[in-house]
Structures are given as structure tokens and as C-alpha cells.
Amino acid sequence: MLNIFIISTEHHLLQVEQAIINYKFEKDNILYWFIKVDNSSWIDRVIENGLIKKFIISDTWIFIDLLRREEKIIKFISNLKKVRHDFEVNKLFISQYSSDYSLLAIKHLNAQEIILMDEGTASFGVCAVRKRVQYLDVYKLKIKSIFYNVKLSFPKKITYFTQYDLDVMDYDSIKKYTFKKIPNKINLIEGNIGLLGSSIVEVGLVSLDYYMNIIKQFKLLYKEKEIYYYSHRKEDNIKLGKISELGIVIVCNDLPFEIFYRNTKSCPHILFSFFSPILLNLKAQFEKTPKSVIIQFDLNELKFNKKIITDIYDSYKKNKGLEFLVL
């Protein structure tokens, strides 16, 4: 029985690691299926570590590639069919179920169980979507089925592998997990402030002007402190330049912050974040962590997902290890 993890970002490996522990998988029964998106040098680095036994690497694609019947799509489908022919698939772990490669994997692998893994807070959005019929998504699914010449469908039942208390549909289920804490040694530098960058501007959640206004308020509040801004991998360089002009030190890092923290020797004694689950993950994974503060901004400035972000904040407020700053 094979268990398959479809992974498109390095951050997903944090949950992969926990899933292997929680489900007690043997290495021989695991297949890592990497999806190359943009800069995927991390895949080579992970494989070179030698801890992965079975793996497949596939290129991602866009709709125009499908129209052209690109070889990478044909190869991906062929690999799915080969895996299904050679193995019985027990569990299929995916970070989203609406992408083309996930839909195709769900169809062709015929796994006994579909398990949704994500970076944490994305599950709140998935729960909301599954509670209502999205006619546009259904229409897109029918169109994709025509182009792929196979009937695609969303999974009727999924299991959420999560740290959170989610409000799921009756036919879905939750498998909660907790990290086993690492006894880490790190120097938490007094007087230094850390702010974890966010891509909420880049994905269109808030305007650049509003985001910069928050950063300016933050800088004014801690004007006597040395502020380090740990950029998100998707952040725009122009935005980072504007933040740097305020006298804030930009720390560029391609690693997921949890992995960066695991390897670094020093860190500011206070870390701030927006609604990212990173601070919660640090508290869960490591024995020694900075003071952790969630920045709560005006949700009326959100262009969409206000209900989902509200649910995320409400969930965080149940955690005694997190404090809040309203800006």
C-alpha cells in the first residue's frame, strides 16, 4: 500500500514530516511527488539530503500548455497511470484539491483516502468553500474534463490533517496533530524586533497603501528598536524597497521561516506576524521561542475573505501563547 504526498512548496514538508510520524508510515511505503513551481531549487536540495527514497518530479503547467498538449502534461498523466498500475494507493496527501494536478491525481490514483494538508490557515477557506455550491468552479470542472478527456470531480469526502478546530461538513473528517517539540538552543536578542512579511498585497487582499500604512504605524510604535523584516518569498521587491526606506532591515530568506528558525543561531526576542500560522508553528515545534504577537488590522480593508480571516483570528485568540497588537 503506497502513501503519496504531492508537494509544491518547501513549506509543505513541515506537515509531511508530521504526517509520517502521526500515521507511522514506513519509508518504503512513501512516494514524494514534487511539483515544480517557479524557482524549485529547494527540491534538489531536499533530494540531495538523501532522506527520500521514492520520488517523482513533475513540471507545473498553465491553461495555454493544455491547449498545446504540452509533453509535460502527457508525462504527468502517464506517471499517474503507471503508479496506479504498479501500486494500490492507500492515502493521497494534497495541499489543495482544485488544482489540475490534484484533480488528475484524485481521478487516476483512486486512493482510499484523500487527506488535505496545507500551511494551516488555508483550511478555513476550504471549509467555507465546501459548504456552498460554487457554480463557476463546477463549470470550470466540466471544461477541464473535456480538455483532459476524463471526468474530473472534487472529492466527495476529505480528511483535514490540521492543528485547528475546523467547522467541517458532516461527510468530512479531521485528524488533529501536534508537533513534538525540539529542544533548541537559540540566542533571543533583547531590544530587537522581528516582523514576518506577508504577501497579502501581492495576492490582492489589501492595497499597497494600506499595508505600508500598517508598517509605518509599526515603525513609529517601535521607533527606539531595531526592526528586522523577514520577507515572504512572494513579496514584491518594490514593496520591500519602500519598507527598507523606513529604516527597517530587510532579511531575505528563501526557506520557510520555521526551517530558517531551526537553523539560525539568533533571533529577535519578539516576533510579530499578521494572520500567518508561523508563530503558532514555532510555539508548537520548539521549546525556546520569542514572544509572539499577532498584528490585527482593520478587516474592513480586506477586499475579500473577511469571514475567513475573522475565523482565523478567533482561532488564534484561543491560544494562550499568542498576544495581539491592534493597528
Side-chain angles (χ1 to χ4, degrees), residues 139-168:
Y139 175 75
K140 289 180 180 178
L141 200 60
K142 291 181 178 180
I143 297 299
K144 288 180 180 181
S145 297
I146 293 172
F147 280 101
Y148 288 111
N149 196 31
V150 64
K151 186 178 181 180
L152 300 175
S153 60
F154 297 129
K156 294 180 179 178
K157 180 171 68 172
I158 61 174
T159 300
Y160 295 84
F161 186 68
T162 180
Q163 301 177 71
Y164 302 96
D165 294 315
L166 302 172
D167 183 16
V168 304

Side-chain angles (χ1 to χ4, degrees), residues 14 16 169 283 304:
L14 296 171
V16 170
M169 300 296 289
K283 290 291 184 186
F304 54 92

Side-chain angles (χ1 to χ4, degrees), residues 15-63:
Q15 275 200 307
V16 170
E17 183 179 64
Q18 295 307 309
I20 292 171
I21 294 170
N22 276 265
Y23 284 98
K24 298 183 173 66
F25 290 151
E26 298 292 336
K27 288 185 178 180
D28 289 342
N29 298 329
I30 300 171
L31 172 66
Y32 295 77
W33 200 314
F34 296 104
I35 306 296
K36 293 176 66 175
V37 181
D38 300 327
N39 180 13
S40 298
S41 58
W42 63 271
I43 296 176
D44 295 330
R45 173 163 41 82
V46 169
I47 292 173
E48 287 170 3
N49 286 339
L51 300 177
I52 292 176
K53 205 164 186 180
K54 296 188 183 79
F55 67 89
I56 294 173
I57 302 176
S58 297
D59 293 311
T60 190
W61 64 88
I62 58 178
F63 187 68

Side-chain angles (χ1 to χ4, degrees), residues 4 16 34 46-47 65 119 157 208 217 227 251 291 324:
I4 300 176
V16 170
F34 296 104
V46 169
I47 292 173
D65 298 324
E119 299 173 26
K157 180 171 68 172
L208 174 59
Q217 290 183 60
I227 301 175
V251 181
K291 179 180 177 181
F324 284 80

